Amino acid sequence: MQSFPPLREAIERVSKGNKPESVEYSLDLGGSKRWFLARINRIVSQENTSKTLSVLVREVTPQKQAEIALQRSEESFRLLVESVKDYAIFALDTGGRVASWNPGAERIKGYRREEIIGKQFSVLYPPEDIAAGKPEKELRIATAEGRFEDVGGWRVRKDGSRFFANVVITAIRDGDGVLRALPK
């Protein structure tokens, strides 16, 4: 016999109050884990004396499996990007601010994640390229064409030293074609 503490606790809370609740729980049915979503409502009479509850239970196993698979995929991708030490991999938001930063970027460019997140990526360019509008031009091209590649150009580390880098900026769009990020 399986126990359902979260469901039992939610039923108790709803029976004591007037606020409905939703509870997700799993059951082991014949060696297979199945997921359910219960929506619990208190049915109140005009006299407000009724303790009748309505419990609607729906199986959500396919959705939960997809959610778990997505979480695992995202975690695997995060671990992959964070394990890369020889390449700087980071993302820019649509305004050109650094939104993510891997350990390779930290090692190569000298900025710790907490120092660079939210800053304009132009801080990684030499002053003459900033004055010439090179960072903005690269973003415009990547946004318009889907990709920008600089086969070699000078970049600047946190300590001011320069290094030569090949840079690729790719526009990432959602299903509606809206620009979401610019990985670099």
Side-chain angles (χ1 to χ4, degrees):
M1 181 89 168
Q2 297 184 47
S3 174
F4 313 106
L7 184 57
R8 189 172 37 256
E9 292 164 6
I11 288 172
E12 287 175 22
R13 283 190 301 273
V14 172
S15 67
K16 291 177 183 173
N18 285 325
K19 189 175 179 186
E21 286 195 37
S22 293
V23 172
E24 188 175 86
Y25 62 95
S26 64
L27 294 173
D28 185 12
L29 300 174
S32 170
K33 190 173 200 172
R34 310 300 290 179
W35 289 90
F36 299 90
L37 179 65
R39 177 69 178 175
I40 308 156
N41 291 290
R42 182 171 176 213
I43 300 172
V44 182
S45 65
Q46 287 182 328
E47 299 81 31
N48 200 21
T49 58
S50 174
K51 295 265 184 178
T52 305
L53 296 179
S54 162
V55 181
L56 173 65
V57 178
R58 197 169 51 126
E59 184 177 4
V60 292
T61 301
Q63 297 93 322
K64 188 65 176 181
Q65 288 172 333
E67 178 185 321
I68 290 168
L70 178 60
Q71 288 170 346
R72 287 181 180 155
S73 174
E74 288 172 347
E75 177 68 3
S76 293
F77 182 73
R78 184 188 63 76
L79 292 171
L80 169 71
V81 170
E82 288 183 2
S83 71
V84 174
K85 307 283 190 262
D86 297 330
Y87 295 93
I89 301 173
F90 57 99
L92 306 174
D93 66 17
T94 56
R97 290 173 299 275
V98 177
S100 71
W101 194 252
N102 82 327
E106 183 173 328
R107 187 183 72 74
I108 294 166
K109 297 175 186 293
Y111 289 94
R112 290 188 326 275
R113 179 176 302 185
E114 57 274 9
E115 293 177 303
I116 194 74
I117 298 290
K119 289 200 162 102
Q120 282 292 323
F121 85 111
S122 59
V123 301
L124 305 171
Y125 288 74
E128 61 273 16
D129 286 352
I130 294 170
K134 185 174 180 178
E136 295 81 10
K137 178 182 175 190
E138 292 177 1
L139 283 183
R140 276 195 311 275
I141 293 170
T143 300
E145 298 178 13
R147 185 174 192 276
F148 170 82
E149 182 170 1
D150 181 354
V151 294
W154 291 106
R155 298 298 183 268
V156 179
R157 292 185 181 92
K158 178 184 172 184
D159 67 7
S161 63
R162 292 179 181 223
F163 64 100
F164 202 73
N166 178 320
V167 174
V168 176
I169 304 172
T170 306
I172 301 293
R173 297 182 184 279
D174 66 15
D176 295 326
V178 176
L179 182 64
R180 294 294 181 187
L182 294 147
K184 193 168 162 43

